[in-house]
Amino acid sequence: MEDWRKNKGAFAIFLGPASFWLLLFFVIPLILVWVYSFGERGPQGQTYLALSFENYLRAIEPIHLGIMLKSIWIGAISTAVCLVVGFPVAMGIAFAPSRWKNPLLLIVVLPFFTNLLIRTYAWIAVLRTRGFLNFGLEWVHEKANWLFALAGFPAALGEFVPLELLYNQYAVVIGLVYVHLPFLILPLYATLEKLDRSYLEASLDLGAGQWRTFFSVLVPLVMPGIVSGALLVFILSMGNFLVPDLLGGTDSLMIGNLIAREYGAARDWPFGSALSFMIMYPVFIFFVINAMVARYRTRRRAEV
Amino acid sequence: MTEQAPIIRVRNVTKRFGSVTAVDDVSIDIRQGEFFALLGPSGCGKTTLLRMLAGFETTSEGEIEIDGQPMLGVPPNRRPVNMVFQSYAVFPHMTVFDNVAYGLKVTGVGKSEIAERVKEALTLVHLEDFGRRKPDQLSGGQRQRVALARALVKKPKVLLLDEPLSALDAKLREAMRLELVHLQHSVGITFVIVTHDQDEALSMADRAAVMDHGVVRQVAAPATLYEHPNSRFVADFIGKMNLLEAKVAGLSGGRLAIDIEGLERFEVPHDGPASGEIGIAVRPEKTRLSKEQPAAGRLGLKGKVSDVAYYGNESHILLDTDTGVRFTTTIQNETRRSDSSILIGDDLWISWSPEDTLVLSE
């Protein structure tokens, strides 16, 4: 049978619909947004095409730049927490007996079957002052107090004061980690699953302990999975606007909320576009550098 | 000092995976400085046994001692053995030097000593100039040498090799056999190799254990395994073998009288008991083809050639005897002939000497 990749006609047929889709609904809108970002807002919120850098100048004003930096910061924290929480889970699934793998993976993706909005609202019910978490803590507090009373120290812990868990940065991070955890676990699991176990055995065989094997062999070998999972979580977290909107406080405005506001309530599409591209430019630069490094590496390998 | 204590002592070791018994009550002693092979078809438990020596599998029952130390509960990183993996498992993110140095680094060997010992190990496997390369810049054979150097640099009491040659092409495999034997002689470390390839085991090992369904069938030197197999399984597994069903007609004074369909009663030297149905075996190269009935004193059966397979240096002839047994025999192609003198359909006699007859009571 002929290799379909070598047959240009077949290649075009298979690739055509996807390319067309991407072109029509991704590339063209992206170009439109880019063009808008140099435009001007009309008095009624219309968008006039122009060649103005006004929007970009506004975007780097301290208040907007601050929100951008905070989004990156919160995105980074969420990614780090996802890694710490997700790595053991991915490892647990990858090293589980094979008949357990699929059920465990199903549990990881199960939350996707419920609407994101509902799941995020559910966190409000958990975290708010009179929410499930505080109820649980109150119960523990009460029992502890009762125990202390038994031991002869009545009211040693004092009155229970509910924790302020909602409407702050922590709630945002908790929400972002919760929503994006599967995006880290799945690529990481896929990489761990493919990893040849004999690398780990070889490390143990050569005298390394479990921790040494983890950091010197396992982590470097699954780095591609870590990077793709972390990148996915970081990008999704940074641009998320639903979670900060529902769980965040007044100081939890993230870049996604800002853009949504400019496109929505403020009816300032050019400024919203400029804000969007302020995030896109670093991503573009990252990809260009990445491609250059990859090309350099292949060339160097070919020379050896 | 009479007999040196074995470097590895395996006592009644059993390994079960769920309801499957992979290794069944195996006892083996492996001597200091020996090149020992675990030989058997796939699924016979040889790799499981090797992995129990390395510490990657626990024993369900029985004991393993290495260098006089019981290994129960000792993790792989605390055992005085090192392993060369079937896939080599050379760390792809490290240079050749770092790969070989890894086992020394993790045990806290000093920097200058590491440099010295790694250089020594790489020289041993002829890779002294490859230290800065990454594994993906090496051929399969070179990667295997890295795996060897990485294990040997640790100066283990025993080197375990899991099908080390299976991933190499035929030419390289043959060269590596010799090299492994030389290497073993020069470092003086006990080698335990797992292989399903009987040629490999016969040509390299000082002794081999033939395994089947988790059980050790025979432990012996290669020549003994080949010429004196103790069971049908070993006879059939090692080399090519013609097997005939026979009946014991009598046993007296070390001579066993045997009845086989199509042959007159004959006697072969045999010690030990034998009775009832037994197996009779003859190696193909110990049989001879002839057009006429063979001379008296030789055992001969008449048959028809059913296949001729040409292998260059020799040809394998399949002969179906009139009694319904299929024989394989080999003839050396000593001269260049455009056509074979033996053709399919020829009526020929196959014969062998009673002394070359093997009696297999198991």
Side-chain angles (χ1 to χ4, degrees), chain A residues 82-118:
Chain A
C82 270
L83 257 178
V84 172
V85 177
F87 210 111
V89 177
M91 261 180 85
I93 301 174
F95 293 118
S98 50
R99 68 201 154 94
W100 283 104
K101 280 180 189 171
N102 281 333
L104 287 171
L105 281 175
L106 187 70
I107 291 173
V108 170
V109 296
L110 207 59
F112 286 125
F113 288 88
T114 309
N115 186 290
L116 175 63
L117 203 58
I118 293 169

Side-chain angles (χ1 to χ4, degrees), chain B residues 296-307:
Chain B
R298 287 181 73 81
L299 302 166
L301 285 166
K302 202 161 176 290
K304 205 181 263 296
V305 175
S306 64
D307 198 18

Side-chain angles (χ1 to χ4, degrees), chain A residues 155-175:
Chain A
L157 296 175
E159 193 80 347
F160 177 73
V161 185
L163 298 176
E164 294 290 338
L165 298 167
L166 198 57
Y167 306 127
N168 55 37
Q169 313 274 34
Y170 302 107
V172 174
V173 170
I174 290 172

Side-chain angles (χ1 to χ4, degrees), chain A residues 196 198-199 201-209 212-213 216-217 220-221 301 304, chain B residues 51 56 76-77 81-83 85 87 89-93 102-103 106 136 150 154:
Chain A
D196 184 352
S198 48
Y199 289 128
E201 289 180 347
S203 171
L204 292 173
D205 186 68
L206 291 166
R212 181 78 196 231
T213 299
S216 297
V217 177
L221 288 180
R301 187 148 302 154
V304 174
Chain B
R51 290 173 59 81
F56 298 129
N77 48 337
V81 299
N82 284 107
M83 184 146 158
F85 289 81
S87 60
V90 173
F91 303 131
H93 60 295
Y102 183 79
V106 297
D136 60 357
R150 188 175 69 173
K154 296 274 292 177

Side-chain angles (χ1 to χ4, degrees), chain B residues 273-316:
Chain B
S275 62
E277 309 266 326
I278 54 166
I280 288 298
V282 197
R283 291 283 178 202
E285 72 277 8
K286 296 185 169 80
T287 62
R288 205 181 296 154
L289 290 170
S290 57
K291 289 215 162 60
E292 280 82 41
Q293 184 163 7
R298 287 181 73 81
L299 302 166
L301 285 166
K302 202 161 176 290
K304 205 181 263 296
V305 175
S306 64
D307 198 18
V308 180
Y310 180 70
Y311 284 91
N313 61 332
E314 60 182 28
S315 293
H316 294 181

